[in-house]
Amino acid sequence: MLSQFYCLFLLLLHFFVGVTLSEEGECRRLNRADIEGRLSTKTPYRAIANYDETPPKYAGCHPTRIWTIIRHGTRNPSESVILQAQNRLSEIKKRILDQTKPPICTAELEKLRQWHWMHLNATEDEKLLVAEGEDELIELAERMQRRFPDLLPELYNPEWYYFKYTATQRTLKSAESFATGLFGRHRIHTVRYPPPLHEDPVLRFYKGCGKWKTDVDKNPETLVNARRFLAEPQMQSAVEQVRSSTRLPDLQPEDVQLMYTVCAFETAWHRPRHDSGSKSSYESVWCNFFDVAAMEALEFFEDLEYYWNDGYGYELTHRIACPAIADMFAAISSSEETRQRRANATLYFTHSGTLLKLLAHLGLARDNKPLTHKHFASERLWRTSQIDAFATNLAFLRYDCDKGNPQVLVLHQERVVRLPGCPQDKDLCPLATLRRIYANSVDHCDREKMCRV
């Protein structure tokens, strides 16, 4: 009779709290797949990568040029997040452990006791590329090379390849890792790079844009939808869920967001281990305090921030991406068309803000209506977990054809996308059509005028 009541108790516990108990006392609220796909811009690339390496084939056409722009791989957090984790999150950890019966299973309890971020120096280690970030770029390069072996040969030639990164360690190491994937570790020392720029007019076109900084980036109105979402039932429910799972009723929304951020970074840093005995050793203990609904609410909060700061929220934000678009056309046009010789493969390594603004400039991931705090329940295309994970990439490939004019294939996250204005019934878009669609981006890209305060 007692065993029946015990079984009933476990079933009710699983139903109401979402905890599964194993014989060893280990518990899981969420499996890794539920977590990895909901981490906004901290999503590891492995969660969204296209592992189909089949070369795209189009009869009578072959690729001759590529222009690709790639976000750096998985990195360390910013200085402020590291300090918050070392201070505030350590306080929360202590309060959980000080409870008579901490609300966490045996195996996770030990992980929480051992958890700390004291190995990180907030000043010296902030935003550095980590080992997983290197692997993301190496593997991305290897897949791209297998798809386009003639376009991305294994031997480096500075007349064929042009690499460039911004003045940061994370983009430098990303470029070197991509080169490793193409040429092998022993040959990357031969790769030439131009001097990196912090305010690169192509790779970081927004950095020196005064008007964007004042009207968008530093404008309190930019984040009004994100702030309003904090008062919406879904976000309040997420905060209550974490208060309940930690048994800390006074946790604030910013505490919950900090836990989510640390969960995200720790998940991104370590891919699952499949060898025996390490099933859960690299999973973040902080992820265990969330359920799926809470993760989705926190993900949406960040989607709102990035939509208004780096996406479609303000027209200026994506208009200032025109230097990158103009550079792309210069790179994939032939020297006869531009009177300027460019490398066949242009490879750029940059940041989240660049990729999101470029996607918006191209009209990708655009919803019918502006994203607001009221749209949580709506299906949306603007999902940063999908469109702006670590190592996010965008590529334009020129195809020369036996008959007819040059065509362009566009890839986002290694998948074919069809741009607005291009034929929607086939992958290739005529280069002339694409040039016409973005004529303003090339012919009327007066960045100085747009950015004047």
Side-chain angles (χ1 to χ4, degrees):
M1 189 71 175
L2 281 172
S3 63
Q4 288 177 325
F5 278 112
Y6 182 68
C7 290
L8 180 62
F9 169 75
L10 285 181
L11 283 170
L12 288 170
L13 189 65
H14 175 72
F15 180 79
F16 286 111
V17 187
V19 178
T20 55
L21 299 179
S22 71
E23 292 177 6
E24 295 81 19
E26 184 183 347
C27 63
R28 272 282 168 273
R29 283 187 174 83
L30 296 177
N31 61 46
R32 187 180 269 264
D34 287 329
I35 299 165
E36 280 196 350
R38 296 181 171 90
L39 299 177
S40 185
T41 58
K42 270 72 77 179
T43 296
Y45 191 68
R46 61 181 178 268
I48 60 156
N50 178 13
Y51 293 102
D52 180 359
E53 298 170 352
T54 308
K57 284 190 167 55
Y58 304 99
C61 299
H62 62 283
T64 57
R65 288 176 174 270
I66 182 171
W67 180 95
T68 186
I69 191 159
I70 305 168
R71 184 190 174 196
H72 59 77
T74 294
R75 60 165 171 81
N76 280 337
S78 64
E79 179 178 7
S80 64
V81 170
I82 293 173
L83 291 172
Q84 288 175 64
Q86 291 173 340
N87 297 297
R88 178 57 182 160
L89 203 54
S90 293
E91 291 174 18
I92 293 171
K93 164 192 164 178
K94 183 177 185 304
R95 291 183 60 200
I96 294 171
L97 293 175
D98 283 349
Q99 296 176 39
T100 308
K101 288 187 178 179
I104 187 167
C105 304
T106 309
E108 296 304 312
L109 190 60
E110 190 54 36
K111 281 171 67 175
L112 186 61
R113 285 195 185 103
Q114 295 177 5
W115 178 89
H116 65 85
W117 270 18
M118 300 316 292
H119 61 285
L120 290 175
N121 181 301
T123 306
E124 295 174 6
D125 296 330
E126 75 151 349
K127 296 188 178 181
L128 297 185
L129 197 77
V130 299
E132 176 64 16
E134 294 180 17
D135 289 344
E136 286 168 335
L137 272 296
I138 290 170
E139 293 163 10
L140 173 62
E142 290 172 343
R143 287 193 300 272
M144 291 294 282
Q145 191 173 59
R146 284 192 276 270
R147 290 185 192 109
F148 307 105
D150 295 334
L151 198 51
L152 299 170
E154 291 184 15
L155 289 176
Y156 171 71
N157 181 335
E159 292 186 3
W160 188 274
Y161 281 105
Y162 180 70
F163 283 78
K164 196 178 189 189
Y165 57 89
T166 65
T168 63
Q169 180 268 4
R170 56 194 181 278
T171 55
L172 161 61
K173 293 297 182 186
S174 293
E176 291 179 342
S177 299
F178 197 90
T180 300
L182 293 179
F183 315 123
R185 199 170 298 280
H186 301 297
R187 286 183 281 189
I188 63 169
H189 67 280
T190 62
V191 177
R192 298 179 193 171
Y193 303 98
L197 305 170
H198 181 65
E199 294 186 1
D200 191 297
V202 173
L203 273 63
R204 259 185 153 176
F205 43 77
Y206 52 95
K207 275 293 179 182
C209 187
K211 188 170 176 61
W212 178 77
K213 285 183 177 178
T214 56
D215 290 8
V216 181
D217 196 40
K218 305 298 182 187
N219 180 0
E221 289 298 304
T222 297
L223 299 182
V224 70
N225 275 283
R227 287 199 303 272
R228 285 175 179 168
F229 183 63
L230 292 172
E232 290 293 304
Q234 299 92 343
M235 193 64 177
Q236 291 188 328
S237 176
V239 173
E240 285 303 323
Q241 184 267 312
V242 177
R243 285 173 176 167
S244 174
S245 67
T246 56
R247 294 195 199 133
L248 298 177
D250 58 344
L251 282 185
Q252 297 303 302
E254 54 267 30
D255 296 325
V256 174
Q257 288 168 322
L258 176 61
M259 291 168 65
Y260 170 75
T261 299
V262 171
C263 158
F265 275 108
E266 292 184 341
T267 299
W269 288 342
H270 304 293
R271 60 180 69 191
R273 294 269 298 274
H274 298 296
D275 50 315
S276 60
S278 62
K279 175 173 170 285
S280 63
S281 58
Y282 285 99
E283 293 182 4
S284 172
V285 68
W286 294 104
C287 300
N288 287 309
F289 294 105
F290 296 94
D291 63 13
V292 170
M295 295 285 290
E296 288 178 341
L298 287 151
E299 176 193 32
F300 183 71
F301 177 88
E302 297 212 2
D303 284 350
L304 285 170
E305 285 192 324
Y306 288 105
Y307 180 91
W308 288 93
N309 199 72
D310 292 303
Y312 288 106
Y314 295 86
E315 186 185 354
L316 176 65
T317 301
H318 48 93
R319 274 181 60 214
I320 57 174
C322 61
I325 300 295
D327 186 86
M328 177 272 293
F329 279 111
I332 67 169
S333 300
S334 66
S335 53
E336 298 82 47
E337 293 161 339
T338 63
R339 297 190 181 89
Q340 181 186 8
R341 171 70 182 141
R342 291 278 298 250
N344 291 63
T346 299
L347 307 167
Y348 289 147
F349 300 87
T350 183
H351 305 266
S352 168
T354 302
L355 267 298
L356 286 175
K357 293 174 185 68
L358 261 176
L359 292 175
H361 192 102
L362 296 168
L364 293 171
R366 183 167 202 161
D367 295 291
N368 292 329
K369 295 180 179 178
L371 200 62
T372 75
H373 62 289
K374 292 294 185 183
H375 289 139
F376 175 78
S378 308
E379 285 292 322
R380 67 186 186 279
L381 297 173
W382 186 267
R383 283 197 60 197
T384 48
S385 300
Q386 297 292 323
I387 65 174
D388 191 35
F390 286 125
T392 279
N393 50 89
L394 185 65
F396 287 76
L397 294 100
R398 175 193 173 117
Y399 277 72
D400 286 332
C401 304
D402 300 336
K403 298 175 183 177
N405 296 317
Q407 306 282 318
V408 179
L409 181 71
V410 185
L411 303 177
H412 176 227
Q413 315 296 43
E414 305 173 80
R415 295 173 179 85
V416 175
V417 290
R418 296 169 182 175
L419 297 180
C422 284
Q424 297 300 298
D425 57 344
K426 51 188 175 184
D427 294 347
L428 296 179
C429 181
L431 176 57
T433 301
L434 202 64
R435 180 67 174 75
R436 191 164 58 248
I437 294 169
Y438 298 105
N440 276 338
S441 303
V442 180
D443 302 330
H444 304 288
C445 183
D446 190 341
R447 183 172 165 275
E448 187 178 333
K449 182 179 178 183
M450 282 189 283
C451 292
R452 194 175 298 134
V453 178

